[in-house]
Amino acid sequence: MKIDKFEDIVAWQKSQILALQVYDITRDLKDFGFSDQIRRAIISVSNNIAEGFERRTDNEFRHFLFIAKGSAGEVRSMLYLARNLKYFGDIQVEGMLTEILIVSKMISALIKTLK
């Protein structure tokens, strides 16, 4: 299957949905440094998928996918911290952890197809 635009990439779509969830869940959080960092990390996932795709070479796309995957790891790490700090409920955190792990695996699959 040929992908014509980054909006068709399921990992990009899922990371956009997750970004909306992160923005919603951090809306009233008083720890502005934490909320800013997790927001930047989740946005980095979809933005790097998009930017890499638009570069139009497999090598550059793969490079940006690795960055997106790293940002997904950062989001996961921050979700664990949020749970430990009791910023978010366990059910919220578990749902988002599941989703970001799925996105990370999708990114890994994309990377493998570009090798």
Side-chain angles (χ1 to χ4, degrees), residues 60-76:
E60 285 193 273
F61 188 24
R62 189 171 65 247
H63 170 75
F64 280 90
L65 288 173
F66 276 115
I67 295 169
K69 187 164 172 48
S71 294
E74 182 179 357
V75 171
R76 285 192 1 245

Side-chain angles (χ1 to χ4, degrees), residues 25-109:
I25 201 170
T26 58
R27 190 168 317 277
D28 297 324
L29 189 63
K30 300 297 183 224
D31 185 342
F32 300 113
F34 181 91
S35 62
D36 183 59
Q37 187 64 33
I38 195 168
R39 285 175 172 189
R40 287 174 182 266
I42 191 59
I43 291 167
S44 177
V45 177
S46 59
N47 282 351
N48 277 293
I49 293 169
E51 184 173 353
F53 182 84
E54 291 295 324
R55 297 290 179 116
R56 296 294 184 192
T57 70
D58 287 352
N59 283 340
E60 285 193 273
F61 188 24
R62 189 171 65 247
H63 170 75
F64 280 90
L65 288 173
F66 276 115
I67 295 169
K69 187 164 172 48
S71 294
E74 182 179 357
V75 171
R76 285 192 1 245
S77 179
M78 294 195 74
L79 286 170
Y80 286 116
L81 180 59
R83 180 174 57 196
N84 293 334
L85 292 169
K86 304 213 182 313
Y87 285 168
F88 314 141
D90 287 344
I91 293 172
Q92 290 173 312
V93 170
E94 286 305 318
M96 290 191 298
L97 281 169
T98 298
E99 289 302 310
I100 196 64
L101 192 56
I102 290 169
V103 168
S104 185
K105 289 178 180 179
M106 289 177 161
I107 294 169
S108 290

